[in-house]
Amino acid sequence: MNKQKILIVGAGLSGVVIARLLGEAGYKVSVVDARSHIAGNCHSARDEETGVMVHKYGPHIFHTNNEEVWRFVKNFAEFMPYINRVKSTVNDKVYSLPINLHTINQFFEKALSPKEAVEFIEQLGDRSIDNPQTFEEQALRFVGKDLYEAFFKGYTKKQWGLEPSLLPASILKRLPVRFNYDDNYFNHKFQGMPKDGYTDLVENILKHPNIEVSLSCKINRDDIKEYHHVFYSGALDEWFGYQEGRLGYRTLDFEEIREEGDFQGCAVMNYGDENVPFTRIAEHKYFSPWEEHDKTVAFREYSRECGEKDIPYYPIRLVGEQSMLRRYVELAKKEKNISFIGRLGTYRYLDMDVTIEEAMRAARAFLAAREQGQRVPVFFVEPI
Ligand code: UDP
């Protein structure tokens, strides 16, 4: 039996998946989290008044192409069928997202067939843009000015606080454009929602005799000495006392709406107009379509620059941040017995399935390194 002690900082998906795999391998694992709950930003809890399962840090929809990840999560929670279908309100009209044949026909008041729509959109796209680098170029190349301005420009400016001409094309590449009526927001093979919420899923992952969890517990350098290895899923810059500056994040504010019956009739309604100050409204009972609730609770979501006291959500990763990130990576590589993991530890925009997949790889790489007497990597995935 391996009695080595491992510390995992952060009880979000990265930390708990590693905790589980190392616990199963016989390590003694302590998981600590500064917050008073497990599950990080996918934490969910039932709303007292309505009984609705609320995603406390905004909508989380599980989707993946990775069968192993899908099997892993289904081992720890029952997953209910769920397809994310998002609408967008633009200029007082409601459209279907992601941009699909319905959106194109609604928007241009046409009745195009798939083939006609391909031709039509191609002729709207700016073909002088060969190799789109920015969000704006990507949009103009593939959907043209009108759809870009209606659905992407305002939303993106609100979400990122920046002109889309300054953002990388990769952000938009997350969203498909379809020439049929498929309005499933995701292209992945597997999609679903944990029946009793994400916190229940995470709690089950942590249920192992080799794992202990401490909440409301902030860790600093001196606390880690007694451990053989530390997996740190907190913010990379925070670990180094922000000595190179603060890596930029966007944070979110939620404004609660409570009503009898229904509020908007769907889970997520985006707002494309720049003059509407929020980006979207999520009505959480629609994330559990198998449940029935008489009352409803929804949240308007506002994005803004993340201040010192705020919860970081989306890493910005622009040019300035890239050079700062490089300096933090250099510092990190001088550390011993610590690995930086996950969204905050590697400063990347990660979906839940990728987070789990990377955590599995990290745990396996750790076990292999230990077996071969090699040094455990500081990063399992390079942040740059
Ligand atoms: N986006 C947009 N309009 C929309 C939805 C998304 O312009 O109606 C852009 C926006 O820049 C956003 C990105 O596409 O940050 C990725 O969207 P996604 O829905 O994947 O964002 P998330 O749910 O992760 O916030």
Side-chain angles (χ1 to χ4, degrees):
M1 186 71 162
N2 196 325
K3 288 281 183 235
Q4 282 201 14
K5 283 169 68 181
I6 304 295
L7 176 68
I8 298 195
V9 182
L13 287 174
S14 297
V16 305
V17 169
I18 294 176
R20 180 74 194 197
L21 298 184
L22 299 195
E24 284 177 356
Y27 286 85
K28 289 279 168 208
V29 186
S30 299
V31 180
V32 299
D33 200 297
R35 297 191 213 176
S36 59
H37 61 76
I38 58 171
N41 278 7
C42 70
H43 171 57
S44 55
R46 285 220 182 262
D47 177 64
E48 257 183 46
E49 189 199 341
T50 60
V52 169
M53 184 63 80
V54 170
H55 300 193
K56 291 292 196 181
Y57 300 89
H60 281 74
I61 294 111
F62 201 88
H63 55 97
T64 188
N65 266 339
N66 184 319
E67 282 203 51
E68 194 190 12
V69 167
W70 186 232
R71 249 183 286 125
F72 181 87
V73 292
K74 293 209 331 170
N75 237 338
F76 296 103
E78 184 180 349
F79 270 72
M80 299 299 279
Y82 182 84
I83 302 284
N84 196 31
R85 300 187 199 282
V86 177
K87 308 279 179 246
S88 184
T89 297
V90 177
N91 210 0
D92 286 333
K93 292 204 177 76
V94 178
Y95 298 94
S96 167
L97 280 187
I99 292 181
N100 63 68
L101 193 49
H102 202 175
T103 328
I104 296 165
N105 280 331
Q106 277 179 303
F107 190 81
F108 294 103
E109 295 182 17
K110 288 185 183 292
L112 301 172
S113 70
K115 285 196 197 78
E116 289 166 342
V118 170
E119 253 173 56
F120 179 70
I121 294 293
E122 213 160 273
Q123 148 240 310
L124 293 181
D126 182 345
R127 272 170 283 181
S128 69
I129 304 169
D130 270 346
N131 181 16
Q133 296 294 315
T134 69
F135 186 106
E136 183 169 78
E137 285 173 359
Q138 175 81 10
L140 291 175
R141 170 71 188 85
F142 289 101
V143 297
K145 185 168 174 287
D146 292 340
L147 289 171
Y148 162 62
E149 289 187 347
F151 295 105
F152 300 135
K153 192 177 178 187
Y155 188 99
T156 296
K157 280 173 86 166
K158 292 188 288 184
Q159 169 73 0
W160 296 96
L162 287 161
E163 289 297 328
S165 56
L166 298 172
L167 289 163
S170 58
I171 295 179
L172 184 59
K173 286 184 191 157
R174 291 171 59 81
L175 304 185
V177 175
R178 301 211 187 94
F179 295 98
N180 56 29
Y181 289 95
D182 178 5
D183 62 350
N184 182 347
Y185 201 66
F186 301 116
N187 270 334
H188 284 156
K189 204 152 91 188
F190 310 107
Q191 190 171 170
M193 211 43 106
K195 189 170 179 212
D196 297 310
Y198 288 97
T199 300
D200 171 76
L201 164 73
V202 167
E203 203 172 295
N204 292 335
I205 296 174
L206 287 169
K207 241 180 238 160
H208 188 281
N210 282 343
I211 301 176
E212 58 169 35
V213 181
S214 309
L215 296 176
S216 307
C217 178
K218 194 121 181 91
I219 284 289
N220 50 49
R221 248 161 219 287
D222 293 336
D223 303 323
I224 68 171
K225 294 200 179 98
E226 57 174 298
Y227 295 93
H228 292 92
H229 197 79
V230 180
F231 290 89
Y232 179 83
S233 69
L236 182 61
D237 52 358
E238 188 182 357
W239 180 253
F240 295 103
Y242 305 105
Q243 69 185 77
E244 301 295 326
R246 280 180 180 264
L247 291 167
Y249 282 93
R250 300 293 286 174
T251 192
L252 300 176
D253 293 321
F254 297 100
E255 190 176 79
E256 193 178 274
I257 303 160
R258 287 180 182 277
E259 274 187 16
E260 291 292 324
D262 268 18
F263 174 69
Q264 64 182 15
C266 66
V268 181
M269 176 67 77
N270 288 358
Y271 285 81
D273 297 325
E274 200 180 333
N275 60 1
V276 173
F278 44 88
T279 50
R280 58 185 177 185
I281 302 181
E283 183 169 4
H284 289 233
K285 71 175 171 185
Y286 283 97
F287 292 127
S288 308
W290 60 93
E291 294 183 0
E292 276 183 32
H293 300 279
D294 297 336
K295 294 179 177 173
T296 197
V297 58
F299 297 88
R300 289 190 191 93
E301 208 169 303
Y302 298 81
S303 166
R304 64 175 166 83
E305 194 182 338
C306 186
E308 291 189 14
K309 296 250 152 58
D310 300 318
I311 297 169
Y313 283 78
Y314 298 90
I316 299 176
R317 292 179 71 91
L318 287 184
V319 181
E321 271 100 11
Q322 293 283 357
S323 55
M324 192 188 291
L325 177 61
R326 231 168 262 130
R327 297 200 296 279
Y328 278 120
V329 168
E330 285 316 306
L331 282 173
K333 288 190 170 165
K334 292 188 187 123
E335 294 273 345
K336 286 203 183 73
N337 301 333
I338 181 163
S339 300
F340 296 87
I341 53 166
R343 179 177 59 95
L344 299 175
T346 63
Y347 190 58
R348 286 172 313 136
Y349 188 171
L350 293 182
D351 285 336
M352 288 184 286
D353 62 327
V354 180
T355 307
I356 293 175
E357 184 182 336
E358 289 188 1
M360 287 172 154
R361 264 196 275 148
R364 286 174 193 148
F366 170 85
L367 293 171
R370 274 291 196 262
E371 206 162 283
Q372 289 153 19
Q374 286 169 356
R375 194 170 172 225
V376 178
V378 171
F379 292 103
F380 300 96
V381 180
E382 288 288 330
I384 298 163

